[in-house]
Amino acid sequence: MFQLISLISAWAIPVLITFIPLYAYSRKIPVYESFVEGAKDGFGTAIAIIPHLVGMLVAISVFRASGALDFFMGFIAPALKGLGVPPEVLPLGLLRPLTGTGSLAYTTDLIRVHGPDSLIGMIASTIQGSTDTTLYVLTVYFGAVGVRNGSYALKVGLFSDVIGFIAAIAVCLLVFG
């Protein structure tokens, strides 16, 4: 079974990359011209995203440099310790909705310090896979397509992140703790 899944994984993308243009060509769709037109649209989208991306990165830097992250961690850490949750994973729960790269760097650092098989390493890895970069997605992608009222998406996204964070910790404590 493992070999079959490995074979499918190895061939899935090359088959799709070959199949889609051949199928489009068989349907008399100008494949190259369509690709170039899509690339032009993608470039415009990338340019439109830049101001939103810069604003988000500045906000993250201010949050960390102001000491707000450290203050919040010091306030919540005793309660987490009482529940048996390592307080080292709290910054990951705060960073993950803001930045994928920052949270990945923090996860990498936790794994380097505590080890991949430690409870902290397993919780950090599970949080990384169970949550999303909600504020980043809302800022960059909603800004790029012109969505002005993302309040419901923000509420649902952050709620999902909180549930993912709690579930990741609970499952890891149950299975590995």
Side-chain angles (χ1 to χ4, degrees):
M1 185 63 160
F2 177 74
Q3 290 175 340
L4 177 64
I5 292 172
S6 296
L7 184 66
I8 291 170
S9 297
W11 283 97
I13 292 177
V15 167
L16 284 174
I17 288 174
T18 304
F19 173 75
I20 291 171
L22 289 175
Y23 180 75
Y25 181 75
S26 73
R27 306 279 295 190
K28 308 286 190 238
I29 296 172
V31 177
Y32 182 74
E33 291 80 7
S34 298
F35 172 77
V36 170
E37 188 63 33
K40 285 181 191 175
D41 292 344
F43 186 73
T45 301
I47 296 298
I49 286 173
I50 289 173
H52 302 284
L53 185 59
V54 169
M56 191 68 206
L57 292 174
V58 168
I60 293 166
S61 297
V62 168
F63 180 68
R64 293 184 77 191
S66 69
L69 177 63
D70 295 331
F71 174 76
F72 188 72
M73 281 181 39
F75 184 70
I76 298 291
L80 288 177
K81 281 184 181 178
L83 295 171
V85 177
E88 293 88 352
V89 299
L90 179 61
L92 183 58
L94 297 173
L95 285 174
R96 183 70 176 141
L98 297 172
T99 170
T101 305
S103 64
L104 182 60
Y106 189 77
T107 300
T108 303
D109 189 51
L110 285 176
I111 290 172
R112 184 183 51 77
V113 170
H114 299 283
D117 294 331
S118 68
L119 181 62
I120 291 172
M122 287 187 252
I123 290 174
S125 298
T126 307
I127 290 170
Q128 190 73 14
S130 302
T131 58
D132 199 3
T133 55
T134 302
L135 297 174
Y136 176 84
V137 168
L138 292 177
T139 301
V140 174
Y141 298 118
F142 278 29
V145 297
V147 174
R148 296 290 173 225
N149 186 5
S151 62
Y152 292 114
L154 176 65
K155 291 172 190 171
V156 170
L158 291 177
F159 180 72
S160 299
D161 287 335
V162 169
I163 296 301
F165 181 75
I166 292 169
I169 292 171
V171 167
C172 285
L173 288 175
L174 182 69
V175 174
F176 304 115

